[in-house]
């Protein structure tokens, strides 16, 4: 919404339309072939390329050098400083080329002597029954979220039960002190998981326990 005060008397509203997607941004938003033919003999037939028509009798419906239709509306000060413009659309977002359910936006500028005083962008979805389409869109979004939850639940249910499977940890540790520290940490965690088994003796280099014992033989 554009809220402006003290606009110059010769300011004009400039309205044009574009597709949001980068690959379609340069495509002119023109009336689709089906509606152009259907509306040829109606009041809308006068501006056959325009997808939108202003209800303001002072509006000018023009087309630029690149084939982009646009609308110029002279600014006129209204009561309480509020200026309202209404438009009629000749095609739906689901109509054939160039629409085909692309994201559509309306770009509104207030110009004065070629300078942009203000600019705003409105995203549009033109449909025959807005309430029905809104419910359908919300339902699809909810189903998508439910689908994601079901996928996660299914993946969790298929997770293998590997509590009884034995895994080995192979790590190279530099320094015997570091090796003892890491081994104690692993043994402590294993002891907590297995219900308090006593940690094993740290191993060094070749993996054999480093222990010395003096044995005496008494006869």
């Amino acid at each position: 919404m554009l809220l402006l005060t003290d606009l110059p008397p010769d300011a004009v509203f400039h309205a044009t339309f574009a597709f949001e997607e980068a690959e379609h941004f340069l495509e002119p938003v023109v009336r689709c072939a089906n509606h152009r033919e259907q509306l040829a003999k109606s009041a809308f037939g006068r501006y056959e390329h325009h997808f939108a028509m202003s209800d303001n009798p002072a509006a000018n419906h023009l087309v630029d050098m690149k084939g982009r239709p646009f609308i110029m509306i002279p600014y006129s000060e209204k009561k309480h400083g509020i200026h309202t413009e209404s438009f009629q659309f000749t095609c739906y977002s689901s109509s054939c080329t160039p629409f085909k359910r692309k994201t559509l936006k309306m770009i509104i500028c207030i110009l004065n002597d070629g300078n942009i005083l203000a600019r705003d962008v409105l995203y549009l979805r033109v449909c025959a029954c807005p309430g029905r389409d809104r419910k359908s869109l919300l339902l699809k979004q909810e189903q998508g979220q439910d689908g994601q939850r079901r996928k996660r639940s299914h993946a969790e249910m298929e997770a293998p039960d590997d509590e009884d499977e034995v895994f080995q940890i192979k790590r190279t540790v530099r320094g015997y002190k570091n090796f003892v520290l890491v081994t104690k940490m692993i043994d402590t965690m294993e002891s907590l998981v297995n219900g308090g088994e006593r940690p094993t003796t740290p191993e060094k280099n070749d993996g054999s326990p480093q222990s010395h014992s003096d044995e005496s033989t008494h006869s």
Side-chain angles (χ1 to χ4, degrees), residues 183-199:
T183 303
K184 285 183 177 180
M185 291 173 62
I186 294 174
D187 288 342
T188 301
M189 293 301 298
E190 186 178 5
S191 175
L192 292 173
V193 172
N194 295 336
E197 289 185 4
R198 189 173 181 178

Side-chain angles (χ1 to χ4, degrees), residues 73-86:
I73 305 172
Y75 168 74
S76 59
E77 189 172 350
K78 300 293 179 76
K79 245 184 179 184
H80 308 297
I82 299 176
H83 186 108
T84 304
E85 293 292 340
S86 60

Side-chain angles (χ1 to χ4, degrees), residues 16-211:
T16 188
F17 300 85
F19 294 116
E20 171 69 9
E21 294 82 2
E23 62 270 26
H24 302 298
F25 182 76
L26 296 179
E27 295 179 17
V29 180
V30 296
R31 190 178 304 179
C32 72
N34 291 343
H35 287 101
R36 187 161 59 244
E37 183 178 352
Q38 293 174 13
L39 301 173
K41 296 182 180 180
S42 69
F44 294 101
R46 182 180 177 186
Y47 305 106
E48 60 177 350
H49 296 294
H50 281 74
F51 151 70
M53 304 285 293
S54 172
D55 291 330
N56 190 326
N60 294 309
H61 297 77
L62 308 169
V63 179
D64 66 14
M65 297 295 291
K66 295 183 179 180
R68 284 180 178 270
F70 66 96
I71 304 171
M72 299 286 282
I73 305 172
Y75 168 74
S76 59
E77 189 172 350
K78 300 293 179 76
K79 245 184 179 184
H80 308 297
I82 299 176
H83 186 108
T84 304
E85 293 292 340
S86 60
F87 298 85
Q88 297 186 57
F89 303 103
T90 63
C91 305
Y92 300 121
S93 296
S94 58
S95 294
C96 64
T97 304
F99 298 96
K100 292 185 174 181
R101 301 188 184 279
K102 298 171 188 171
T103 305
L104 182 65
K105 59 185 179 181
M106 181 180 187
I107 304 170
I108 306 171
C109 297
I110 297 180
L111 308 177
N112 178 244
D113 293 333
N115 299 315
I116 299 177
L117 304 181
R119 182 180 183 275
D120 202 357
V121 176
L122 305 176
Y123 285 86
L124 302 178
R125 183 182 178 87
V126 185
C127 46
C129 186
R132 180 196 61 194
D133 284 11
R134 184 175 182 274
K135 289 180 180 179
S136 177
L137 180 62
L138 291 174
L139 181 61
K140 287 181 180 179
Q141 292 176 345
E142 290 175 359
Q143 289 176 344
Q145 293 172 357
D146 290 341
Q148 291 295 329
R149 285 194 290 268
R150 284 196 297 270
K151 285 181 181 179
R152 287 196 296 268
S153 298
H154 186 63
E156 292 171 358
M157 290 174 63
E158 290 186 344
D161 185 7
D162 53 12
E163 292 184 0
D164 296 329
E165 190 173 351
V166 178
F167 297 90
Q168 293 183 348
I169 299 177
K170 294 184 179 180
R171 292 287 182 181
T172 302
V173 181
R174 185 181 299 277
Y176 182 62
K177 290 183 179 180
N178 294 334
F179 169 75
V180 172
L181 178 61
V182 172
T183 303
K184 285 183 177 180
M185 291 173 62
I186 294 174
D187 288 342
T188 301
M189 293 301 298
E190 186 178 5
S191 175
L192 292 173
V193 172
N194 295 336
E197 289 185 4
R198 189 173 181 178
T200 58
T201 305
E203 299 178 352
K204 180 179 180 181
N205 297 332
D206 59 356
S208 59
Q210 301 298 308
S211 61

